[in-house]
Amino acid sequence: MPPLGRFAAVLALALAAPLAVLADFNAEPPNAAGQSPAFAGQTRAPVMAQAMRLMRQPLVQDLRHPWGMALLPDGGLLITERPGQLRLYRDGGLSAPISGLPPVDARDQGGLLDVAIAPDFARTRQVWLSFSEPRGGGENGTAVATGRLSPDGAALEEMRVIFRQQPGVESPLHFGSRLVFGPDGYLYVTAGERAIPPDVPVAQDLGNHLGKVLRLDPATGQAAPGNPLARTQSAQPEIWTYGHRNIQAAALDGQGRLWTVEHGPLGGDELNLLAPGRNYGWPVISYGLDYGGGPIGQGITRQDGMEQPVYYWDPVIAPSGMVFYDGAMFPEWRGDALIGGLRAEALVRLRIQGDRVTGEQRLVPGIGRVRDVEIAADGALLVLIDDDPGQLVRLTRRGTVPD
C-alpha cells in the first residue's frame, strides 16, 4: 500500500470507535400488541451478545443514495445510485458515472436499484440492472435490463431491457427489485406491489407481476423453464411465488435456497424461505397494522393455504439487502443471515438453525440506513449507507487493516 493510503487506513481505524450492541432491542413495545406468533421463536428471538468489536473504515463518502452493489472477480465493486448512476469502485477510487444506462424514474423510492453480474462475468462481462422504468402518462414499473461492461469499465454496451413488470402503475413506491441468480443460472427478480392499498389485493392476482417473485431466463427475460404456474390459466408464467408486499432483501443460503425479507406494514417485516408456487399471504394475512393504526384487511395473521413467515419483526427494521455469511474473517458467523436495516440503522444478524431463527443481533448500531451488504474476498463486510451523501463502509475485526 502506498504511504498515503496506509496513513488513511490507520487514521480511519484510529477515528472509528469500536461498535457493539448497546441495548436490548426486544424491549421496544410492539406496534400490534394484540397479535401473537404462530409458533415459538417466530419473532423476538433471544438477543445474541456481541463478543467482538467491529471497526468501521469508510471507503467512499460521497455517494448519492446508493442502493445495490455487485462484487467483481478482480475485487472491484459496481455500485448503483438511485438517481440513475452506476459507479465502479476499484483500488480505492470511484469512477465517473458509467454510460449506457436506460432512463429511470427517480421519484421517491424509484430510480436505479439493484445490480447483478453473470456467474461467468470474467469471460462475458455481462451485467443486469433493475430499475423503475418510466412508462409515460405518469406510470412506471420495475424493469430489468442487461448489457456488457466495457473492458475499461466506462460504459455498458449493447444495453437492452429484457423484462417489464405488468401492469404499469402511477406510483413512486414499492418497486422491490432485488436480483439473485439461482444455482441453475436463472434469475430471480423481486417485484413490489407498488403500494396499492390492501383493499385491492393485487399481490393475490396471478394475472399481474405486482407483489411477486419472478424467475426469468436472464438472456431473454422470458419465464424460466419449470416455473410452477406456467400451465395455470390466466397466470403470468414468470411467477415463482406471490402474495408479497415489497421485497428489498433476497439471498441464497449455503444449500442454494432462496430467502427473502420484505417490508411489512407498521410492525410486520417478514423473513421467508421461498418454495415454488406458494402464496405468502399479503394482504389477506399479515402481522402488523396499517400506517394509520388500523388493521390490515380483516386483521388476521394466518389462513389455510397461505405461508407463515419464518420470522417477523414488530417493530420493523425496514429491511434492505441480505447475504448469508460464508467468509473467513468471522468463522463463528458462517451460515448466519446478515440483513440491512434502514429503520434499525444497523446490520441485523440472524442465527438460523433447522430453518428457524434462534438468535438476533444488531451489529454496528447507529451506523446509518443500511441499504445493502456484501462479503469481500477476505471475509470483511462491505456495507452501503443510503443517504446523500451516502457511504461505502468496510467492517472488520478490531485492528484489521487492509493491505
Side-chain angles (χ1 to χ4, degrees), residues 150-290:
S150 62
D152 62 3
L156 282 174
E157 301 170 339
E158 301 176 15
M159 199 70 180
R160 56 195 172 90
V161 177
I162 60 170
F163 173 79
R164 291 181 167 94
Q165 180 188 40
Q166 298 296 337
V169 175
E170 192 172 347
S171 168
L173 305 174
H174 292 196
F175 295 94
S177 222
R178 286 296 170 191
L179 303 175
V180 178
F181 273 95
D184 55 8
Y186 294 110
L187 181 65
Y188 293 102
V189 181
T190 72
E193 90 322 351
R194 307 307 317 285
I196 292 174
D199 58 351
V200 183
V202 293
Q204 294 293 314
D205 182 352
L206 299 179
N208 65 57
H209 296 129
L210 309 181
K212 313 298 193 297
V213 173
L214 313 167
R215 181 171 169 265
L216 309 178
D217 181 320
T220 66
Q222 300 299 309
N227 277 1
L229 302 176
R231 298 180 182 274
T232 300
Q233 187 175 8
S234 301
Q236 294 290 338
E238 299 87 358
I239 294 173
W240 184 252
T241 58
Y242 62 105
H244 300 288
R245 189 169 180 266
N246 185 30
I247 299 173
Q248 293 185 352
L252 301 180
D253 67 11
Q255 301 177 53
R257 301 178 301 176
L258 181 63
W259 296 70
T260 61
V261 192
E262 68 184 76
H263 289 272
L266 187 64
D269 291 346
E270 295 185 359
L271 170 72
N272 286 297
L273 173 57
L274 299 193
R278 301 287 178 86
N279 179 357
Y280 289 81
W282 179 264
V284 178
I285 64 171
S286 176
Y287 292 94
L289 303 171
D290 186 76

